[in-house]
Amino acid sequence: MISRRMFLAGSAAAPFLSYASLTAVYADTPKDVLVVAQQLDNMTSLDPHESFEAVGSEICGNIYQKLVTPNLDKPDAIDGDLAESWSAAEDGKTFTFRLRKDAKFASGAPVTADDAAFSLQRAVIMNKGPAFIISQFGFTKDNVAERIKALDPATLVITTAEPTSLSFLLYCLSAGVGAIVEKKVALERAQGEDLGNGWLRQNSAGSGPWTLRAWKPSESVMLDANPHGGRGSNVKRIVLRHIVDPSAQLLMLQKGDVDIARDLTTDQLRALEGNASYNLVRKSVAGLMVISMNQKHPHLAKPQVWQAIKWAIDYDGIQKNVVPLTFVVQQSFLPAGFPGALTEKPFRKDVARAKALMAEAGLADGFEVTMDHYSAQPYPDIAQTIQANLGEIGIRVKLLSAENRQVLTKTRARQHELALTVWGTDYFDPHANADVFCVNLDNSDDAKVRPLTWRSSWQDKKMSDQALAALKERDPARRVALYEQLQRDHMAASPFAFLLQKTTTAACRKGVTGARLGTLSDSHSYATVRKS
């Protein structure tokens, strides 16, 4: 066992000691320290302009602020974070942001427009995984200094290459890659031309409610309160402990070794439901389970087969019997909680209708096909249910189970037939998913851009044009309406069957309040967490 003092000690030089010596001292975690059990092994960097994994993005979201942030309660609203106001010029290319004058970095230095300009320029120049979210507006390492610049300490001007929807720009700036770092600190720690990347991978220079004290990969993360962060919390330190097994997380929560468990499955959550000693904070997050149908398979290339598969699946049965507390039914390419997302569910299990569609396709006797899926639960159980559902309409499915990375490698090479996977959205705008599920401008095997449409060898010019028109629409209400229509058209005529949307739960002990979950991981927040 690892000790509380291992995570709670104040000395940076020797913060980790033995657990056994302290078990008699503490019955529960200290009142000013929040201890969280969480799987922490899927992150490689805590530099916000490089981090692109879910957990890393969450931690960065608690350390850094951005110009703007999505409203957690109203998906069509954007709130100011470091920016107090913004405006768009008539040309649709020039955007001006006025920054708050009271914001400070953890160092105590004020946050200025120069820091904001440097940070966005840095994301483009470094060109790490999430950079495309910013660079898609026409920024390059050669022009970004001119197109993103500070006019004075409180005024930032961004000039895009083409007329741009204000809402689209704001949602992209609200992504984790839009984090504002302290320019002076980053440059002082720079090695060569890395802009401080080597140092910021395991250190922080932000203005968010927390600062990074220590990160031991696949072991722990320690966050300290930012004295200038304007928090609504009485907690002084957060300790995230890497606990892989959900059963172990539950046991630690019940014993008082941790205050929050973040990765409990349906079985563990059932043990806590209705128990007044625990508070379950739930949120549907931007992870969609989908069946992709490769158009290189001659039978899967028939639109009637697309629809037959969608009408054969027992969506409600899968949700209720396999994943009742960790997924909800969602049948469009936008996750619930996103601007313009549809939550209507047009498909249900209708074997007679599905068989009629198979007959219309000339496949009344069915056909054989393979389906790749992740080997970790709940995917094998869901895959077996789908196998049985499709078997009722004559589609004989051979299941191919493999690790996540192996399934992704196969689909990225267009080598699957059916594939059951999960897609996580990159940023909080409808175009993030429309771009990958609707747009395919080059379907050749050597295409440079390879979205999920390309991976399944599907190209529909009308659908691509609809998605790009919605992207460019500058009227916010009209833009949402275009995405709503695009989702309906996509459900009716695409080789993607959307099944479920992931629900995440923070299981909190009694007395722990204020932990908030967002649709994207970088908006999971401990800013207002409190312990009584």
Side-chain angles (χ1 to χ4, degrees):
M1 297 281 292
I2 300 172
S3 88
R4 290 183 176 88
R5 184 170 295 170
M6 170 176 177
F7 296 100
L8 310 181
S11 170
F16 303 122
L17 299 174
S18 156
Y19 180 82
S21 63
L22 295 180
T23 52
V25 178
Y26 294 109
D28 290 304
T29 60
K31 295 299 183 184
D32 59 354
V33 178
L34 185 80
V35 184
V36 181
Q38 187 171 0
Q39 296 169 7
L40 301 173
D41 56 348
N42 78 328
M43 58 182 180
T44 57
S45 172
L46 290 177
D47 183 331
H49 302 142
E50 180 177 39
S51 177
F52 210 31
E53 301 96 359
V55 177
S57 295
E58 174 183 329
I59 294 169
C60 288
N62 279 276
I63 295 172
Y64 295 93
Q65 291 180 288
K66 294 157 282 192
L67 292 173
V68 294
T69 185
N71 185 299
L72 292 181
D73 301 313
K74 300 177 182 178
D76 58 345
I78 284 282
D79 295 333
D81 198 2
L82 289 171
E84 64 180 10
S85 65
W86 48 87
S87 61
E90 290 186 5
D91 65 1
K93 298 193 294 183
T94 306
F95 304 87
T96 302
F97 294 81
R98 292 287 298 175
L99 271 63
R100 293 166 33 208
K101 296 181 179 179
D102 60 339
K104 292 183 179 182
F105 289 108
S107 68
V111 179
T112 69
D114 191 41
D115 293 300
F118 166 77
S119 298
L120 298 178
Q121 293 167 8
R122 180 178 185 269
V124 173
I125 293 168
M126 284 172 46
N127 197 29
K128 301 292 185 177
F132 75 94
I133 299 172
I134 302 296
S135 60
Q136 67 182 316
F137 295 98
F139 305 126
T140 68
K141 65 179 181 180
D142 296 321
N143 69 25
V144 70
E146 283 299 313
R147 293 189 174 180
I148 303 178
K149 56 186 178 182
L151 295 187
D152 58 52
T155 308
L156 177 75
V157 176
I158 297 176
T159 305
T160 58
E162 301 292 337
T164 299
S165 159
L166 174 60
S167 64
F168 180 50
L169 176 65
L170 293 176
Y171 284 127
C172 289
L173 292 175
S174 76
V177 71
I180 307 305
V181 305
E182 186 174 358
K183 178 179 179 179
K184 180 176 182 291
V185 172
L187 292 181
E188 285 177 347
R189 271 63 172 194
Q191 298 178 4
E193 298 182 354
D194 78 343
L195 299 176
N197 175 237
W199 186 81
L200 279 173
R201 285 176 176 170
Q202 296 197 49
N203 296 276
S204 64
S207 59
W210 305 95
T211 64
L212 179 63
R213 182 177 183 87
W215 169 31
K216 293 206 168 188
S218 296
E219 184 176 305
S220 66
V221 175
M222 186 187 298
L223 305 176
D224 282 349
N226 175 3
H228 307 288
R231 303 171 308 116
S233 173
N234 62 355
V235 172
K236 295 180 180 179
R237 176 168 292 173
I238 298 176
V239 177
L240 308 176
R241 297 180 57 177
H242 177 53
I243 308 296
V244 176
D245 182 7
S247 297
Q249 289 192 15
L250 175 62
L251 180 61
M252 295 172 75
L253 184 73
Q254 292 171 326
K255 292 175 62 178
D257 290 333
V258 301
D259 301 298
I260 299 178
R262 290 289 304 277
D263 301 295
L264 302 187
T265 67
T266 290
D267 288 341
Q268 286 88 44
L269 292 172
R270 279 177 171 155
L272 302 180
E273 279 196 316
N275 188 328
S277 296
Y278 305 95
N279 175 35
L280 303 183
V281 180
R282 286 186 173 139
K283 182 74 175 182
S284 291
V285 296
L288 294 174
M289 192 179 299
V290 57
I291 299 174
S292 301
M293 312 171 205
N294 196 333
Q295 300 303 280
K296 289 189 175 183
H297 189 292
H299 298 327
L300 296 178
K302 297 184 177 184
Q304 298 96 328
V305 173
W306 307 345
Q307 293 300 97
I309 289 174
K310 295 176 186 181
W311 283 104
I313 296 170
D314 186 4
Y315 304 88
D316 290 335
I318 292 172
Q319 192 275 329
K320 292 176 181 177
N321 297 317
V322 183
V323 286
L325 301 180
T326 52
F327 284 85
V328 295
V329 175
Q330 177 66 4
Q331 295 182 349
S332 85
F333 67 73
L334 281 183
F338 262 55
L342 298 181
T343 55
E344 55 197 50
K345 302 174 181 63
F347 300 107
R348 63 186 186 283
K349 183 177 180 182
D350 188 332
V351 174
R353 187 168 184 170
K355 284 184 174 180
L357 286 162
M358 290 289 287
E360 187 179 328
L363 295 166
D365 294 331
F367 60 92
E368 295 183 355
V369 69
T370 62
M371 185 167 76
D372 294 274
H373 65 88
Y374 305 148
S375 56
Q377 287 292 1
Y379 303 99
D381 288 348
I382 293 174
Q384 289 171 22
T385 303
I386 293 170
Q387 179 187 48
N389 291 162
L390 298 187
E392 292 183 64
I393 64 169
I395 300 178
R396 299 173 292 281
V397 180
K398 179 182 179 181
L399 298 179
L400 303 176
S401 175
E403 292 182 355
N404 183 305
R405 60 182 176 82
Q406 293 173 307
V407 174
L408 292 179
T409 298
K410 190 171 182 179
T411 58
R412 287 168 178 164
R414 307 172 113 179
Q415 294 175 351
H416 64 289
E417 293 180 351
L418 295 177
L420 177 68
T421 60
V422 169
W423 178 257
T425 310
D426 291 325
Y427 56 94
F428 198 76
D429 185 87
H431 182 66
N433 275 18
D435 193 32
V436 295
F437 285 111
C438 302
V439 180
N440 184 3
L441 302 180
D442 181 358
N443 200 40
S444 63
D445 285 341
D446 59 353
K448 292 183 179 180
V449 180
R450 302 181 174 189
L452 294 187
T453 47
W454 179 90
R455 295 182 194 178
S456 287
S457 308
W458 180 60
Q459 185 177 43
D460 185 307
K461 184 179 185 304
K462 180 181 177 183
M463 202 80 71
S464 293
D465 289 346
Q466 281 181 264
L468 295 174
L471 167 65
K472 296 175 182 177
E473 176 58 51
R474 291 166 61 182
D475 178 81
R478 172 64 178 158
R479 188 166 182 258
V480 167
L482 290 176
Y483 281 114
E484 289 175 345
Q485 185 59 52
L486 180 59
Q487 288 169 86
R488 293 189 177 97
D489 293 345
H490 193 268
M491 285 189 280
S494 77
F496 298 100
F498 292 90
L499 313 177
L500 302 163
Q501 179 173 345
K502 184 174 176 60
T503 296
T504 191
T505 301
C508 308
R509 284 176 62 84
K510 183 178 180 180
V512 176
T513 60
R516 300 205 65 186
L517 301 176
T519 305
L520 290 180
S521 58
D522 63 6
S523 55
H524 298 336
S525 174
Y526 292 112
T528 59
V529 71
R530 300 185 68 83
K531 290 180 65 174
S532 60

